[in-house]
Amino acid sequence: MAGFLILLSAFLSNGNLFAQEELPVQQSSWYIYTNLQLAGGNFIYNSFDNVVSLYGGVGYQSGKFGISFSIPVVGNKNNFISQSGGMMLPIGNSKNGYGNMQGSGSSDGGMMGGGSNSMKNPSTSSLGGMNWGLGDLFLYSNYQLVSQIDFFTDVIVNANVKFPTASTHMGIGTGQFDFGASVTLRKSFDLSDNLNSFVAIADLGYINFGDPSGITYENPFTYSFGLGKFFNDGEYSLLLYYSAYTEVVKGYDPPRQIALGLNYKASDNLILTGIGAAGLSKFSPAYNFSAGIKVGI
């Protein structure tokens, strides 16, 4: 989810402690990153689906401003989960009895361009019992408006855009642009001998979903909050957080999840990250695990 990425980014960019030591982000710096993600669940269906995503990306940070791009290779099993707005959502595949969750009976056999397994696309292939293809391109940017030094908390504005590069026929994407924005508040606390060893983060945002043929999305508000802890002078850090949307499709419980992230600064230019999340509604993956690497260049 977009809030998930924004919250983790804000935590790792804690300018008072971690960012100045992990990567020279207060100066101009480029970095590359990769992330392997596994998610699965029944969602609102009677069968289980797995989604595997391997992200690759590049980013740039200069002072208070940062921007990054990422795109995944995605594999899924049943073609009824789509990635939209940074969140995995059920798409209404006809073989699961949900040809269209709003009852419009679209001709492609599922909302959001999900379609059935019989529909193939030259940009996709089948391997290991899963369909594979290129996912959507995501752009994330942030700008720190106010510093905790000058105010009681850091204030960061974020924006993100999803470009519809994914195949709609295998249920990876909607074929539409999504736009989002949020405001993040980040507060450090001196509760021990290690300065700023705790960080509290809250984020409030909004996403405008592109509506594919046969379905109209509600454009939800997003909200996330978490508490992070640094250990061993920033070498290790933990972030526990909760993220949720308001209603996305009328009549269905909105996405919600709770997650725990562990970060390890292996060197000044290398960060390893592992995250485990559990869905708290049927509109969310039952589980979501990811492991990533961020390298300064």
Side-chain angles (χ1 to χ4, degrees):
M1 107 174 6
F4 155 89
L5 296 173
I6 289 169
L7 216 65
L8 186 63
S9 176
F11 175 60
L12 291 179
S13 298
N14 182 24
N16 294 325
L17 173 65
F18 200 58
Q20 294 178 359
E21 297 179 357
E22 66 173 16
L23 295 176
V25 295
Q26 298 305 311
Q27 305 173 10
S28 296
S29 61
W30 289 91
Y31 58 89
I32 58 175
Y33 61 95
T34 184
N35 184 276
L36 178 63
Q37 182 178 357
L38 172 64
N42 288 73
F43 290 87
I44 57 176
Y45 305 112
N46 296 322
S47 58
F48 195 89
D49 197 10
N50 289 312
V51 178
V52 179
S53 306
L54 178 61
Y55 287 85
V58 61
Y60 177 76
Q61 186 79 36
S62 179
K64 296 181 178 181
F65 172 76
I67 188 169
S68 65
F69 296 85
S70 70
I71 190 168
V73 174
V74 180
N76 67 6
K77 179 182 177 182
N78 291 322
N79 295 6
F80 61 79
I81 298 176
S82 174
Q83 294 181 306
S84 189
M87 168 69 78
M88 293 183 182
L89 302 173
I91 64 177
N93 192 305
S94 58
K95 77 184 184 70
N96 292 284
Y98 289 87
N100 188 301
M101 286 196 287
Q102 291 186 337
S104 63
S106 60
S107 60
D108 65 2
M111 78 176 209
M112 293 170 53
S116 66
N117 287 333
S118 63
M119 302 181 69
K120 299 298 181 182
N121 186 286
S123 63
T124 67
S125 62
S126 179
L127 180 65
M130 302 183 74
N131 299 307
W132 294 87
L134 191 67
D136 289 315
L137 173 66
F138 289 89
L139 178 152
Y140 297 94
S141 64
N142 60 80
Y143 183 78
Q144 185 173 338
L145 288 177
V146 179
S147 170
Q148 181 175 325
I149 297 174
D150 304 315
F151 191 52
F152 91 101
T153 181
D154 297 326
V155 180
I156 304 163
V157 292
N158 312 280
N160 61 84
V161 180
K162 186 206 78 176
F163 298 87
T165 56
S167 167
T168 59
H169 291 285
M170 66 172 293
I172 292 178
T174 65
Q176 303 294 325
F177 283 89
D178 298 336
F179 304 90
S182 71
V183 176
T184 302
L185 303 180
R186 181 180 61 202
K187 175 71 173 179
S188 301
F189 297 93
D190 303 339
L191 301 180
S192 68
D193 293 336
N194 296 321
L195 295 180
N196 304 326
S197 57
F198 287 88
V199 179
I201 304 174
D203 183 87
L204 178 63
Y206 175 81
I207 295 180
N208 187 307
F209 285 123
D211 295 329
S213 177
I215 187 69
T216 300
Y217 282 124
E218 302 299 311
N219 296 321
F221 288 97
T222 67
Y223 52 99
S224 307
F225 52 88
L227 180 65
K229 176 72 171 77
F230 292 101
F231 302 91
N232 198 24
D233 295 325
E235 183 178 3
Y236 301 92
S237 57
L238 283 172
L239 175 63
L240 177 67
Y241 59 95
Y242 172 85
S243 299
Y245 284 26
T246 56
E247 192 176 58
V248 177
V249 176
K250 283 188 177 298
Y252 289 87
D253 203 18
R256 301 187 303 272
Q257 72 173 14
I258 188 168
L260 179 66
L262 170 64
N263 307 285
Y264 170 56
K265 186 185 70 172
S267 70
D268 289 341
N269 292 320
L270 177 63
I271 300 172
L272 308 179
T273 299
I275 301 166
L280 302 177
S281 74
K282 289 185 177 180
F283 223 71
S284 308
Y287 62 83
N288 194 330
F289 300 104
S290 67
I293 301 173
K294 180 178 179 181
V295 181
I297 56 177

